[in-house]
């Protein structure tokens, strides 16, 4: 059973697996204050929607610690300023702002308490968010296995594993669970250019646990789907609109279109905290654009000529009509998504 834990809050600091250095090196990045957390999210030391949400929550705890000795009003003001900085570190994954808002609600409710009490209450809330995430992933894994047949070949994209969450994973959690249930599954993992989360992170998780898998260049997926080699596709998500349109790592939309054309089931695995109940369609989702060097370089080595322009959107939006189902901790959501996802609001 996996024991990969992407982060840990200990002795008043947040420790993150430095995912930029995997698979060659397993090392921890230490966050002493909220600005370290902002940097870690921006530079993808920690990445993956649920993981950056939990990291963001602990960033606010670190802010409370930093400003503890200020007069009350200044203390509250500085925490709110820090929360805005951490919450805006990356725009697409809704979990970051969801976690920040949840922490701010707790701050507001307890604003009249002593600063030291507020610090402890915020720390407890961040720990709750972390604990709930792991429980959520286990529930997603159980429900997800309703759609994984014995002996299935599963295609996944990017990393929606233990490293993208506080543990176990979402899409990769379903795959893990199927493996541990003895379903004799095998995996094709897209390398996922340009940041190579599949090659560096998903492959690492699969190898750690000896889950039968093959790493493929992204462009191989279409041939496997066309040739009937894939039984089901399961990917993660960064933001889900109420109509089911889903933002996920760039390349997901292309997979979903191939799946639709060749009638391969295509599932999103995500916690309810990844649903944005304030937007009705994927058109409203902000897609993060990242640095050109992510495309022109690999591990710091230039592979494209100086002077070439680059377009590097980190995500794309899969239209709801391409999605067979959305696996959540409350069950598998099916179309009509607007009706069915809206019902989840009160359960969240
Ligand atoms: C379990 S959410 C994982 C989700 O996040 C990844 O994006 P990034 O690596 O840029 O944080 C990717 O979209 C995954 O599906």
């Amino acid at each position: 059973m996996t024991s990969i834990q992407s982060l840990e809050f200990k002795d008043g600091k947040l420790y993150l697996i430095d995912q930029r250095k995997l698979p060659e090196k397993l090392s921890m990045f230490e966050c002493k204050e909220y600005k370290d957390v902002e940097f870690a999210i921006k530079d993808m030391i920690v990445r993956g929607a649920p993981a950056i949400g939990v990291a963001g929550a602990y960033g606010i705890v670190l802010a409370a610690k930093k400003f503890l000795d200020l007069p009350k009003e200044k203390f509250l003001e500085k925490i709110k300023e820090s929360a805005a900085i951490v919450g805006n570190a990356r725009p697409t994954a809704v979990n970051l702002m969801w976690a920040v808002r949840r922490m701010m609600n707790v701050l507001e409710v307890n604003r009249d308490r002593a600063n030291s009490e507020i610090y402890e209450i915020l720390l407890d809330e961040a720990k709750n968010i972390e604990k709930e995430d792991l429980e959520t992933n286990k529930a997603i894994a159980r429900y997800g296995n309703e759609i994984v047949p014995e002996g299935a070949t599963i295609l996944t994209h990017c990393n929606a594993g233990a490293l993208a969450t506080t543990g176990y994973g979402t899409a990769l959690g379903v795959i893990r669970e199927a493996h541990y249930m003895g379903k004799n599954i095998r995996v094709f993992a897209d390398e996922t250019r340009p940041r190579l989360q599949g090659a560096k992170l998903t492959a690492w998780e699969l190898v750690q646990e000896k889950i039968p898998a093959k790493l493929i260049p992204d462009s191989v997926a279409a041939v496997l789907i066309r040739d009937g080699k894939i039984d089901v596709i399961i990917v993660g998500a960064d933001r889900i609109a109420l109509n089911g349109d889903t933002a996920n790592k760039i390349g997901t939309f292309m997979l979903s279109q191939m799946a639709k054309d060749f009638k391969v089931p295509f599932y999103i695995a995500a916690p309810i905290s990844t649903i944005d109940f304030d937007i009705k369609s994927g058109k409203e989702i902000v897609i993060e654009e990242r640095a050109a060097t992510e495309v022109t370089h690999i591990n710091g080595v230039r592979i494209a000529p100086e002077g070439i322009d680059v377009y590097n959107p980190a995500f794309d939006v899969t239209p709801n009509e391409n999605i067979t189902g959305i696996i959540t901790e409350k069950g598998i959501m099916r179309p009509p998504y607007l009706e069915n996802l809206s019902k989840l609001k009160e359960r969240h």
Side-chain angles (χ1 to χ4, degrees), residues 222 225-226 233 253-266 321-322:
I225 294 168
R226 179 203 62 194
I233 300 172
F253 163 57
M254 199 161 55
L255 283 183
S256 77
Q257 200 60 42
M258 288 298 295
K260 186 178 180 183
D261 292 352
F262 292 93
K263 299 181 179 27
V264 172
F266 181 91
E321 59 268 23
N322 288 9

Side-chain angles (χ1 to χ4, degrees), residues 274-315:
T274 302
I275 299 171
D276 184 344
F277 291 98
D278 296 330
I279 62 169
K280 284 206 171 0
S281 100
K283 294 185 182 65
E284 301 171 65
I285 298 176
V286 173
I287 299 296
E288 176 187 13
E289 281 191 48
R290 294 189 62 90
T293 47
E294 290 189 354
V295 180
T296 57
H297 292 66
I298 292 185
N299 290 349
V301 177
R302 174 175 285 282
I303 56 163
E306 299 246 7
I308 186 66
D309 272 347
V310 169
Y311 174 48
N312 180 23
F315 302 98

Side-chain angles (χ1 to χ4, degrees), residues 12-27:
K13 292 177 199 160
L14 176 65
Y15 294 89
L16 304 167
I17 289 182
D18 188 337
Q19 299 189 35
R20 301 171 304 181
K21 298 194 174 143
L22 286 173
E24 295 87 350
K25 191 165 175 249
L26 178 56
S27 60

Side-chain angles (χ1 to χ4, degrees), residues 44 47-50 90 158-160 164 170 197 236-238 248-249 315:
M44 297 174 67
R47 34 66 49 201
R90 289 183 77 190
C158 196
N159 174 260
T170 54
Q197 291 95 323
D238 292 86
N248 194 51
K249 185 52 48 193
F315 302 98

